[in-house]
Amino acid sequence: IKRRRLVYEAFFTEHRGHAAKLARQICQKSREDYLIVIGGDGTLQEVLSGLSQPSTVTLGYIPAGSGNDFARSMNI
């Protein structure tokens, strides 16, 4: 990221439901964005449920949870 001088914002969840709220806020922007989720199945599920306009974001996922059932089933 630094080498390519990419502009980014990092968000950290603070409580249950916060990831969905953040995803909704990101979707409401008028530009297309990349949204990279780092977390487990619960965090990914929250973000997916918060995508009010999924066509405005490209979603990436880095599994970092304790179970990672989704990542395992997708061979990530």
Side-chain angles (χ1 to χ4, degrees):
I1 291 174
K2 288 181 182 180
R3 190 173 343 127
R4 292 186 181 201
R5 296 187 175 119
L6 299 175
V7 177
Y8 70 94
E9 252 182 292
F11 300 93
F12 296 90
T13 57
E14 298 173 2
H15 51 79
R16 184 179 299 253
H18 194 210
K21 180 180 178 180
L22 291 170
R24 274 191 298 278
Q25 290 172 348
I26 291 167
C27 283
Q28 290 174 351
K29 294 180 181 180
S30 61
R31 65 175 194 267
E32 290 187 22
D33 275 315
Y34 291 92
L35 177 56
I36 310 302
V37 179
I38 302 173
D41 297 334
T43 304
L44 180 60
Q45 186 278 328
E46 274 195 33
V47 169
L48 290 171
S49 70
L51 293 179
S52 56
Q53 299 172 20
S55 62
T56 64
V57 297
T58 299
L59 183 68
Y61 176 55
I62 299 172
S66 57
N68 295 320
D69 292 328
F70 176 78
R72 194 171 28 261
S73 68
M74 297 301 291
N75 293 319
I76 297 176

